[in-house]
Amino acid sequence: MPRVGRQDELAKRACAVDTWLANRAANQTPSVPCRVITDAHFEAQDPPDPPGKRIAHVWTDGACVPTNPGWMGVGVMVEIDGLKETHSESLGFGTNNIAEIAAVKRGIAMATNRGLDGIVVYTDSQYAIGVIAKRWKAKKNVELIDDTKRAISACGAHVEFRWVRGHCGVEGNEIADELADAAASRRG
């Protein structure tokens, strides 16, 4: 039996991956028009906002206390043109994933209708990024996820997600975390 060459093996693998991706995509909801960057140390590498473009930087976090599931809270910090606005909200009893998605939705709402060219959402929740922007198939929280996707589509600005490692001293993430924890501690 002839030995399969390296090129043939790579072609077979590429075909298998393409087939898998096509099958996976067929079973998923469409993604929203946004870009995802996953770099825990983006701050030192990020270029400044493009000249003449108004960009909102939206930091979001969700929390549950004393455990997950538990009492939920969301924290959001929005920075536009150097001005910062914060929001903290108790949501009642539920899961951390619900709180994370709700925080993204609240952040998008806070940045909507401000004449922006772009919105950059920073979150430490890979789950939120996955179900909102990466076409992950959600088994739970589907209505909240769909509402969040609709809010992104309707916001009138290009939306980009950036994952940041939580509890690493990144100012915006730390502020959103403190706001979410305080809201969850208020217990609805």
Side-chain angles (χ1 to χ4, degrees):
M1 186 167 200
R3 183 179 163 161
V4 176
R6 180 81 175 139
Q7 294 293 80
D8 292 337
E9 183 63 30
L10 291 175
K12 284 181 183 177
R13 286 184 186 176
C15 182
V17 169
D18 289 344
T19 301
W20 180 83
L21 287 172
N23 290 338
R24 186 167 183 254
N27 295 325
Q28 308 241 344
T29 58
S31 66
V32 293
C34 56
R35 186 172 140 215
V36 178
I37 296 175
T38 56
D39 182 1
H41 303 288
F42 59 83
E43 284 191 316
Q45 302 167 8
D46 256 2
D49 291 341
K53 301 284 185 180
R54 292 192 70 227
I55 308 293
H57 297 272
V58 179
W59 299 86
T60 69
D61 201 15
C64 280
V65 296
T67 61
N68 185 22
W71 296 100
M72 299 180 294
V74 299
V76 180
M77 182 180 80
V78 177
E79 183 176 356
I80 303 171
D81 300 330
L83 301 175
K84 296 177 182 175
E85 178 182 343
T86 61
H87 177 78
S88 181
E89 180 179 356
S90 299
L91 299 178
F93 196 84
T95 67
N96 190 68
N97 286 342
I98 292 171
E100 294 282 3
I101 296 164
V104 170
K105 183 180 175 191
R106 173 60 66 195
I108 293 293
M110 289 173 66
T112 297
N113 296 325
R114 300 216 185 176
L116 298 169
D117 298 298
I119 299 172
V120 181
V121 178
Y122 303 88
T123 179
D124 59 13
S125 172
Q126 292 190 21
Y127 171 76
I129 291 173
V131 296
I132 295 168
K134 288 187 174 180
R135 298 176 56 144
W136 291 3
K137 179 106 173 123
K139 296 178 182 174
K140 296 181 178 181
N141 314 318
V142 175
E143 186 175 336
L144 176 60
I145 293 164
D146 288 345
D147 286 348
T148 304
K149 287 179 179 182
R150 281 191 287 276
I152 290 169
S153 294
C155 76
H158 171 76
V159 176
E160 182 173 292
F161 282 85
R162 296 197 182 171
W163 176 77
V164 59
R165 188 176 308 279
H167 312 289
C168 284
V170 177
E171 181 188 22
N173 183 258
E174 295 295 335
I175 291 169
D177 180 68
E178 289 173 17
L179 292 167
D181 287 345
S185 296
R186 290 193 297 264
R187 299 180 185 241

